[in-house]
């Protein structure tokens, strides 16, 4: 019953993401009885690998798109829960978000900031050579969709999260 509930929730989150104009795999079949999802195979390159191969303006453009996509999810009340450069596919110049297994419906500022914290941690940990420019582009994309007030609120909350004892500050 737990697998069934999680499978149905993931399908709902993928559908909600697509409704929010965020690219996600197309769902062909949701088997709630046997906890099965049949979905599109997303051909492309993981964002993680694209960053390792590319530099400069292309990388910044990809992170701007990432910020825009996450802002659309958040504006629709969706927290992805596992936004990393391994869970985003670059396809035809755009981004496809995958792995909505930890996604949830939420309007909490804390949850939006936690999503952004994970992205920030991934960028600085896995892509340190481009982290400064990538973070700037990420925030630019996020703010362009969410607006300045929401951007400031998420950044303030992120700062509070980072000041908590269990998190090390990531610059």
């Amino acid at each position: 019953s737990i697998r069934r509930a999680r499978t149905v929730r993931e399908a709902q989150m993928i559908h909600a993401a697509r409704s929010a104009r965020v690219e996600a795999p197309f769902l062909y079949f949701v088997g709630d009885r046997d906890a099965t999802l049949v979905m599109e195979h997303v051909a492309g390159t993981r964002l993680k690998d694209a960053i390792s191969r590319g530099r400069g303006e292309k990388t910044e453009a990809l992170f701007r798109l990432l910020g825009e996509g996450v802002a659309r999810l958040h504006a629709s009340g969706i927290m992805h829960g596992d936004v990393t450069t391994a869970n985003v596919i670059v396809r035809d110049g755009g981004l496809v978000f995958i792995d909505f297994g930890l996604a949830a419906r939420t309007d909490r500022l804390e949850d939006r900031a936690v999503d952004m914290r994970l992205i920030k941690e991934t960028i600085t940990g896995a892509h340190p050579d481009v982290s400064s420019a990538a973070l700037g582009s990420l925030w630019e994309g996020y703010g362009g969709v969410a607006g300045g007030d929401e951007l400031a609120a998420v950044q303030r909350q992120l700062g509070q999260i980072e000041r908590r004892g269990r998190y090390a500050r990531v610059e």
Side-chain angles (χ1 to χ4, degrees):
S1 66
I2 292 172
R3 280 186 53 223
R4 282 195 307 269
R6 288 179 179 169
T7 299
V8 169
R9 187 185 73 234
E10 182 169 5
Q12 291 169 338
M13 293 296 98
I14 290 170
H15 177 73
R18 292 180 63 84
S19 295
R21 297 185 3 247
V22 173
E23 287 293 318
F26 183 78
L27 294 174
Y28 297 114
F29 177 76
V30 180
D32 60 343
R33 289 187 185 183
D34 59 352
T36 302
L37 281 179
V38 178
M39 66 181 81
E40 167 191 17
H41 168 76
V42 180
T45 305
R46 289 186 313 166
L47 180 56
K48 176 180 182 174
D49 299 327
I51 293 163
S52 297
R53 294 182 196 138
R55 294 286 181 261
E57 292 176 13
K58 180 181 178 187
T59 298
E60 291 176 25
L62 291 172
F63 278 104
R64 196 170 300 108
L65 289 173
L66 180 63
E68 291 170 1
V70 174
R72 281 190 196 96
L73 289 174
H74 289 175
S76 295
I78 301 166
M79 177 182 117
H80 184 280
D82 195 18
V83 181
T84 66
T85 54
N87 285 336
V88 179
I89 306 292
V90 179
R91 176 175 69 184
D92 299 330
L95 300 181
V96 181
F97 287 69
I98 62 170
D99 194 357
F100 284 81
L102 298 176
R105 284 276 188 196
T106 178
D107 290 325
R108 294 180 58 227
L109 176 60
E110 175 83 3
D111 294 332
R112 296 190 302 275
V114 167
D115 248 3
M116 296 307 287
R117 169 66 188 170
L118 179 57
I119 297 168
K120 185 177 177 182
E121 193 174 289
T122 299
I123 292 170
T124 57
H127 313 288
D129 52 332
V130 298
S131 64
S132 180
L135 287 169
S137 294
L138 175 77
W139 288 119
E140 182 183 321
Y142 191 91
V145 171
D149 290 344
E150 175 66 11
L151 173 63
V154 170
Q155 287 177 323
R156 269 192 312 274
Q157 189 66 30
L158 175 60
Q160 289 180 9
I161 290 169
E162 290 177 332
R163 285 188 290 278
R164 294 178 190 159
R166 66 184 199 181
Y167 290 105
R169 179 109 177 137
V170 177
E171 295 298 331

